[in-house]
Each structure stands twice: as C-alpha cells, then as structure tokens.
Amino acid sequence: MVSEDEAAVWLAAGVLRSGKFDIEAVTLEAMAADAPAGGLDTALKASEKSDVRGGALGMEILGAIVVPVLVEAAKQFWASYQKELIEKTGKSAADATLVAIKKWFFGAPPEDKSLISQKLANAITLAGEARKMKVADIEALIAATAPERLEAALAKT
C-alpha cells in the first residue's frame, strides 16, 4: 500500500522541481529517506527551526516554509484522491504501490492530469493560507502544478 508520506514526498518534490526549487526537492527527498517509518512529520518540524546566521541567503527560511506547506497539501490531496486513484488503477488499497500510481499517472489522459493539477493546486492554496504564506508564494506554487510542468517534474522523482 502507498503510504501517505511516500505519496506526499513524490508529489511535493515534483511541485518543487516544477517550480525550480530543486535544492528543496533534494532536501525533502533526503529527509524522507532518513526519517524512520512515520517520522516525516517530525523531520519536517525539525527543519522549520532555522538557525539563521549573518550572510545567510534565505534559502533555509524559504525551504522551512515551502516544504511543509507542500507536504501538508500533498497529504490532503492524497487523502481525498486516493480512493479515486485506486479505482482508476484497478488496484486494491493493498496493491496500490507508488510504482502503480506513477504508471497510471503518466499514462492518464490529459483531462485527468488537468484535474489532478487543479485538485493539488486547491490543496496548496488551503495549506498555504492556513500557514499564512504570502499570496505570491502560493501563486508560484500553483503555477508549478500546471499539468505539463508537473508531469515533467514528477518524472524526475
């Protein structure tokens, strides 16, 4: 079965790459790889505590805001969309691996990819607003969910 964390990391890293946040995508994937089972939330909370020193470029601050918002949005999206994806892949919940979901996603018709992008964008908006993220930052992340951009980025994760 696809874990909520596994799906969230795949989707969030794809949006990050699509939005040209490659460093944050790699950081998220490394955090997820190092986190014990079910420990992604703990790793993300630890990353939000930034010890900013003079000369810092602000990347650690941006990542501390963007990554948790995207992971939260991806989890919300996954929770609402999982049943539909399982039905479309023809798998039971136990058989719905991330590999099976990826295979379905990359073979899905354009209208399905557009719907996925729209639902993911809605989840990003809700999560970003809940965390008081700047509107411009939310809009940049939403732009990163454009189907053609997102598909190319997800293929890299």
Side-chain angles (χ1 to χ4, degrees):
M1 180 176 196
V2 179
S3 78
E4 176 184 68
D5 287 350
E6 187 180 26
V9 168
W10 178 61
L11 289 168
V15 172
L16 287 167
R17 282 195 171 86
S18 178
K20 307 296 185 213
F21 294 103
D22 293 323
I23 293 169
E24 289 81 1
V26 170
T27 301
L28 171 60
E29 291 166 339
M31 241 191 302
D34 292 342
L40 181 61
D41 289 336
T42 303
L44 285 172
K45 284 197 188 299
S47 77
E48 290 179 17
K49 297 174 184 149
S50 180
D51 183 17
V52 180
R53 294 176 175 76
L57 300 176
M59 288 301 293
E60 53 282 311
I61 295 170
L62 179 65
I65 296 168
V66 171
V67 171
V69 165
L70 280 177
V71 170
E72 181 181 330
K75 284 183 178 187
Q76 290 172 6
F77 166 82
W78 183 250
S80 69
Y81 210 60
Q82 184 177 18
K83 182 180 177 186
E84 190 173 336
L85 288 173
I86 289 169
E87 288 172 4
K88 288 183 179 189
T89 61
K91 302 281 186 181
S92 71
D95 294 332
T97 64
L98 191 54
V99 170
I101 299 303
K102 286 179 180 182
K103 183 177 178 182
W104 169 81
F105 175 81
F106 293 117
E111 58 272 8
D112 284 354
K113 290 177 185 170
S114 182
L115 185 60
I116 289 168
S117 293
Q118 181 181 14
K119 288 183 177 187
L120 186 54
N122 291 342
I124 289 169
T125 300
L126 292 173
E129 288 173 349
R131 289 186 177 237
K132 310 281 191 249
M133 197 173 187
K134 292 180 186 177
V135 173
D137 292 336
I138 294 172
E139 288 173 354
L141 293 175
I142 290 171
T145 66
E148 61 283 348
R149 286 179 61 185
L150 184 60
E151 181 174 7
L154 285 172
K156 297 177 183 176
T157 57

